[in-house]
Amino acid sequence: MQLHRNDLEKYVQLYLFPCLIVFGILGNALNLTVLLNKRMRSRANTFLSLLAISDIAFLVFLTPHVLATFHFLYVNYYFRWFYFHTKIHWLALANWMSAVAIWVVIAVCADRLIGIRKPLYIRSHVASYKMMLILALIVVAPFLLTLFRHFEHYCPVNNLCYDTQVYSKCFPITHDVWQSHMFQNTFSYAYRKFIRMSILTNTVFIVMCPIILLATLNILLLCALRQRSSEMSLIQDDITTKPCVNNQKHHKTEQRVTLTVTLIVTLFTFTNGPSGVVSFFDLVSDTNAKPTWWYNAGVFANSLVVVGKASNFIIFCLFSKHFRKRLFGLAQKKVHEKMGKNFGKCSGGGVGDEKVCLLMG
C-alpha cells in the first residue's frame, strides 16, 4: 500500500524534496533575518519578507506529503492513519501559501515598476495601517479562494485485515461517478456545482490571471530597467557636484534592488508557470483517468515549484551585494556577542573556572 503512484514521484519526493525543504526553510529564515532588520525596512523588503514567510509555510505544509514516501513511515499504522485524515488539509494549506506567494510577487513587482517610473514614490512614506491592509488582503483573499481545497475530495478511511492496516482513496467531488463507474457520487448537485465554480474561480484568480499579470509586469520592469541603465550611462560623465554623486549612488542602489526583484520575478514565473498550465488542462479535461506521461508532467511541474521556493536565498546572495554585507554583518555581530558572553564568564570566574575558559578558548 505505497503512497506514491510511480517511481518518478517516489524518487523525487524521497531524495530531491527533503533537500529542497531543508535548504528552503533555512535559506528563507536567513532572508527574514536580513529583511526584517531595522536598517533594511522598506516596502519592497516588507513584501519580500512576506514572500519568505509564505515559502517557509509552504515547505512546512508539504513535509507530511514528503514523509509519506519513506518506507518506515508509510507502513506504520499510526502515521498512515494521521496522514490519511489530514492529507487533503495539508495540501490545501500548501496551495494557500502558494497563492499568497503569487500575489506577493505581483505586489513587489508593481512596487518596483511604480518606483522606477515615479522616483519620488520610492522615498514616500506609506502609512503603516495601509501597508497592513495590503498585506492582510494578500493573505486573506487567497485563503478564501483556496478554502474549497479542504472539501473538493471525498477521502474515506478504511481499516483492513482485521484493523491491522489502514487505507484511503480520494474521490473528486465534481465527478458524477467514481472508480471506473463502480461507485455513484452521493453528494448533492448543488454542492458539486459549488466545488466546480470554486475550482474555476481559483484557476482564474490564482493561476491564469496572476501568471499573465506577472509576465506583463516583468516585461515592463525589464524595459524600465533597461531604460534606467541607459539614463545612468548618459549622466555618468556629468558628475560635478556632491548632490549629483549622492543622487547617482541612490540610483545605483535602486538599480540593484530592481535587478534583484526582476530576477526573483523571472524565476518565480519560470518555476510556477508549468504548474499553472498543468492545473488549467486538468480543469479542462475534468477526468480522473490521466495517462502516465501527463501525471509525470505534473510531478515535474510541482518539482519546479518547490525548487522556486528554495531559490530566493541564492538570488539574494548572488546578486545583492547589500544583502550579503548585511548578512555577514549580522553573523559577525552574533559571533562577537557570543564571544563577549564567554569572555565575561571567564573574566568573572574563579580559579576553578579558568581551566574551563582555557578549554573553551
Side-chain angles (χ1 to χ4, degrees):
M1 294 186 181
Q2 297 179 350
L3 303 182
H4 49 268
R5 179 169 172 175
N6 57 26
D7 288 339
L8 175 63
E9 184 179 24
K10 173 185 176 181
Y11 292 126
V12 166
Q13 295 187 7
L14 193 61
Y15 299 109
L16 179 62
F17 279 9
C19 299
L20 292 176
I21 288 175
V22 173
F23 181 80
I25 291 176
L26 294 178
N28 282 294
L30 290 175
N31 289 345
L32 287 175
T33 302
V34 177
L35 295 173
L36 294 178
N37 187 267
K38 291 183 179 180
R39 297 183 181 181
M40 294 285 290
R41 289 180 181 176
S42 65
R43 278 190 300 271
N45 287 345
T46 300
F47 288 129
L48 292 175
S49 298
L50 181 57
L51 177 62
I53 293 173
S54 64
D55 286 346
I56 290 175
F58 174 88
L59 295 172
V60 170
F61 295 146
L62 188 66
T63 300
H65 195 61
V66 174
L67 292 177
T69 312
F70 291 86
H71 181 270
F72 74 97
L73 287 175
Y74 75 67
V75 298
N76 183 277
Y77 176 89
Y78 298 102
F79 177 82
R80 291 176 70 90
W81 186 92
F82 167 79
Y83 178 70
F84 285 142
H85 281 88
T86 59
K87 170 185 176 181
I88 192 68
H89 302 296
W90 290 117
L91 294 178
L93 291 173
N95 275 283
W96 172 34
M97 289 296 102
S98 182
V100 170
I102 291 175
W103 285 104
V104 169
V105 173
I106 290 175
V108 71
C109 188
D111 179 79
R112 297 312 306 174
L113 183 61
I114 296 174
I116 290 178
R117 295 188 172 184
K118 298 180 180 180
L120 293 179
Y121 171 80
I122 293 294
R123 303 183 184 185
S124 63
H125 175 71
V126 177
S128 58
Y129 77 92
K130 291 183 179 180
M131 196 66 187
M132 292 299 296
L133 286 176
I134 294 174
L135 297 178
L137 180 63
I138 291 175
V139 174
V140 174
F143 172 76
L144 296 176
L145 289 172
T146 58
L147 187 61
F148 77 97
R149 295 286 187 186
H150 294 273
F151 317 105
E152 68 171 337
H153 286 85
Y154 171 59
C155 302
V157 180
N158 300 309
N159 289 314
L160 306 176
C161 301
Y162 301 100
D163 294 339
T164 59
Q165 296 183 16
V166 59
Y167 181 76
S168 176
K169 185 174 180 63
C170 293
F171 302 99
I173 297 295
T174 55
H175 292 182
D176 296 328
V177 292
W178 296 323
Q179 199 74 17
S180 301
H181 301 275
M182 293 178 60
F183 303 101
Q184 187 70 27
N185 189 342
T186 58
F187 289 91
S188 66
Y189 175 77
Y191 183 67
R192 281 180 274 173
K193 186 176 181 180
F194 167 75
I195 296 296
R196 288 193 184 99
M197 292 302 299
S198 299
I199 294 174
L200 179 61
T201 304
N202 178 83
T203 303
V204 171
F205 291 102
I206 301 299
V207 179
M208 302 309 300
C209 286
I211 289 178
I212 295 173
L213 182 59
L214 196 57
T216 304
L217 288 173
N218 199 23
I219 292 173
L220 294 175
L221 192 61
L222 288 171
C223 294
L225 187 63
R226 183 177 180 180
Q227 182 179 359
R228 175 63 66 88
S229 299
S230 301
E231 293 175 355
M232 288 187 62
S233 62
L234 290 175
I235 65 174
Q236 189 172 6
D237 298 331
D238 189 20
I239 302 176
T240 56
T241 61
K242 186 175 181 179
C244 292
V245 175
N246 294 334
N247 192 39
Q248 190 192 34
K249 289 182 178 179
H250 174 75
H251 283 312
K252 286 184 177 180
T253 301
E254 293 299 326
Q255 189 86 344
R256 288 194 296 267
V257 173
T258 304
L259 177 61
T260 303
V261 171
T262 303
L263 291 171
I264 291 175
V265 174
T266 303
L267 178 66
F268 188 91
T269 305
F270 175 76
T271 55
N272 286 265
S275 178
V277 174
V278 171
S279 299
F280 176 76
F281 281 103
D282 282 342
L283 175 66
V284 174
S285 62
D286 194 27
T287 177
N288 199 29
K290 298 181 178 63
T292 302
W293 68 268
W294 183 252
Y295 186 83
N296 291 337
V299 173
F300 176 75
N302 292 332
S303 301
L304 284 179
V305 173
V306 181
V307 169
K309 302 298 181 184
S311 300
N312 287 339
F313 176 71
I314 299 176
I315 293 178
F316 278 120
C317 287
L318 290 180
F319 299 99
S320 179
K321 181 180 178 181
H322 192 53
F323 178 87
R324 293 195 302 269
K325 182 179 179 181
R326 180 61 58 187
L327 180 61
F328 293 149
L330 292 174
Q332 289 178 351
K333 182 179 179 181
K334 292 294 182 181
V335 172
H336 291 162
E337 289 178 355
K338 185 68 176 178
M339 293 177 64
K341 290 181 180 179
N342 292 336
F343 180 77
K345 291 179 181 179
C346 293
S347 61
V351 177
D353 295 331
E354 186 176 354
K355 296 181 179 179
V356 178
C357 294
L358 290 174
L359 292 175
M360 292 174 60

